[in-house]
Amino acid sequence: MNLVLHILYVLILSLSESLSEPSNKKFPENFQFGVATAAYQVEGGWSDDGKGVNIWDQFTHTHPDSVINGDTGDIACDSYHRYMGDVEMLKNLGVNYYRFSLSWSRILPTGYTNQINEAGVEYYQNFISALKENGIEPFVTLYHWDLPQPLQEIGGWPNPLLEDIFAVYARTAFTLFGEKVKNWMTFNEPKQTCLAGYGLGSAAPGISASGIGEYECMHTIMKAHARAYHIYDEEFRPTQSGRISIVLDTGWYEPASDSEEDMEAAERSLQFEHGWCAHPIYHPDGNYPQVMIDRIADRSQKEGFSKSRLPEFSAEEIEYIRGTFDFLCINTYTTSMVKWTNDYEIGTPGFYADVSVSTYQDPSWNGSASSWLKVVPWGMRKLLNWIDQTYNHPEIVITENGYSDDGRLDDPNRLNYYAEYLTSLLEAILEDGVNVSGYTAWSLMDNFEWTSGYTVKFGLYQVDFDNPNRTRTIKGSGEYYKNVIASKCLVDTCEE
Ligand code: GBH
């Protein structure tokens, strides 16, 4: 091919890629749209009115080197003082629901019920009432990573005592807020809590106990989730008639080729990355995925441990945890390619050595401000189909999906991300018959992005972090999402 032709060809290819049109089909009439945030990322007021210290307060204050620029959530978006402004933004977007989390230590400063912080309770009561008065359903997460510090002092999630302690907190929340809250989520992304918090030590509470800590952590969380579910089911559902679930995160893992090895490796990745927490709850057989049980037992033995590093559930526990959901919640952002590889050498134990696969992201995929987040809309469609088939056609709510940049107001990349992912979602619903009933954009506004601090922005609204008023301004993507919600359509006019 001569050079001019070649350049033309490349140009047309890249044009046709950027011009891929969003779907002109409509979302089903009863489809629900929302946006999400989490307490530590937006509230601020970290020590106001009797709030206790949690592990993210502690982590950002004592490990400033672990967060970019030493940033903290001390003030964040100041939503603790500005929640009426948040309600106005939600109203303007026209969302059906708002997914946010409760700060456990704002309600119970010690983590236990020996102290109840009335100011914290009132804050959430006022906020929830304001949402309801404006026709916005509260979707409430009990735990989005901010464990009360006193509970970390006794070891945090790897300590089995936390099952009971969480159950008491959950009952307290159902009692206080359950009259108005009809959609509950126990945990947000326990995989992150356990892997980053207790395995790798990269996030709060910063415990490095790779290969042991993450599995013990998850074991407690699975049981704590089930306890909260059963408490709701038995003590509250009869009078409050809401629903309850858990939020799990996973990307899509695409085999690098159609060789049997690569396909096996991709399925193994899904079972470790998602099945670890999904299988015990959503799979009709319950328990951890067999591939995890077998591989971790085998590697543990070779490493010289007296038993598997993966804790075992009793038959009663399997039964108790199985089926503890009313709908399936999934946070998903991106995709990885998976290649089969020889098992990692026996050495330092760890989750990724237990999986032993090689993953990469295609260099041709569009990126974002987050190194891990590449724009791969078809991956979400495949993931939704895999979940549909693996867990027996559940009702699914996408509880997070979104795109990061530097926080600019004119943000066509985010707008395109939403248009493309929502197109894939429509195809999954209309063409594949996957039962997805809701979609949640992460996030309502720019906020504290954990160890990335304020360098990475996911908001539909911009927040001016240099201004003490934390002024919020809607972005281009926010205007687009608002239109999508109003019209249930991704383009100017949809097929009727
Ligand atoms: C969600 O996690 C969280 O629920 C939310 O609080 C957060 O703000 C949002 O995503 C955006 O990140 O840096 O390569 O080690 C999404 C899952 C898992 C994505 C950890 C980033 C770190 C990958 N996250 N992952 S890496």
Side-chain angles (χ1 to χ4, degrees), residues 228-373:
Y229 178 90
H230 288 293
I231 287 172
Y232 188 78
D233 200 43
E234 285 151 29
E235 302 172 27
F236 296 90
R237 198 196 297 278
T239 53
Q240 298 185 347
S241 47
R243 51 182 198 163
I244 179 163
S245 189
I246 184 169
V247 173
L248 306 181
D249 65 298
T250 181
W252 170 247
Y253 294 86
E254 174 76 7
S257 78
D258 54 14
S259 75
E260 230 164 86
E261 285 80 9
D262 288 349
M263 306 231 303
E264 186 273 322
E267 176 68 18
R268 195 194 318 157
S269 290
L270 280 159
Q271 292 298 348
F272 269 80
E273 298 277 354
H274 190 51
W276 182 18
C277 359
H279 202 282
I281 295 169
Y282 295 122
H283 197 280
D285 295 344
N287 204 0
Y288 295 121
Q290 198 59 45
V291 64
M292 285 189 80
I293 296 173
D294 293 345
R295 288 187 62 90
I296 299 169
D298 178 54
R299 291 185 68 87
S300 301
Q301 198 218 337
K302 290 178 179 147
E303 287 154 355
F305 288 93
S306 61
K307 60 177 185 148
S308 178
R309 289 179 282 98
L310 183 70
E312 235 179 89
F313 289 124
S314 69
E316 292 72 34
E317 287 169 340
I318 292 173
E319 195 55 31
Y320 188 72
I321 297 168
R322 200 168 70 95
T324 51
F325 68 100
D326 298 323
F327 56 113
L328 188 152
C329 299
I330 184 87
N331 291 353
T332 190
Y333 289 82
T334 196
T335 286
S336 298
M337 305 295 295
V338 185
K339 262 179 94 67
W340 189 91
T341 178
N342 286 323
D343 281 356
Y344 290 20
E345 265 173 47
I346 295 299
T348 319
F351 179 85
Y352 292 107
D354 289 335
V355 200
S356 281
V357 294
S358 147
T359 63
Y360 63 93
Q361 291 179 305
D362 195 306
S364 75
W365 294 341
N366 285 330
S368 70
S370 311
S371 56
W372 54 272
L373 204 180

Side-chain angles (χ1 to χ4, degrees), residues 61-104:
H61 295 165
T62 59
H63 296 66
D65 45 310
S66 297
V67 180
I68 299 186
N69 296 329
D71 286 335
T72 74
D74 288 2
I75 303 174
C77 307
D78 202 24
S79 285
Y80 181 63
H81 300 107
R82 298 174 193 282
Y83 66 90
M84 283 311 292
D86 297 351
V87 175
E88 282 309 310
M89 289 145 64
L90 294 159
K91 235 172 89 175
N92 178 45
L93 290 174
V95 293
N96 303 107
Y97 61 88
Y98 181 39
R99 175 174 175 244
F100 63 97
S101 78
L102 302 179
S103 161
W104 185 343

Side-chain angles (χ1 to χ4, degrees), residues 41 134 192 205 212 304 409:
Q41 295 179 273
N134 286 286
Q192 301 310 325
I212 311 247
L409 284 179

Side-chain angles (χ1 to χ4, degrees), residues 171-186:
R171 183 183 283 112
T172 305
F174 301 149
T175 307
L176 289 170
F177 311 117
E179 208 183 295
K180 293 199 165 130
V181 175
K182 302 302 166 194
N183 289 275
W184 290 100
M185 278 138 267
T186 53

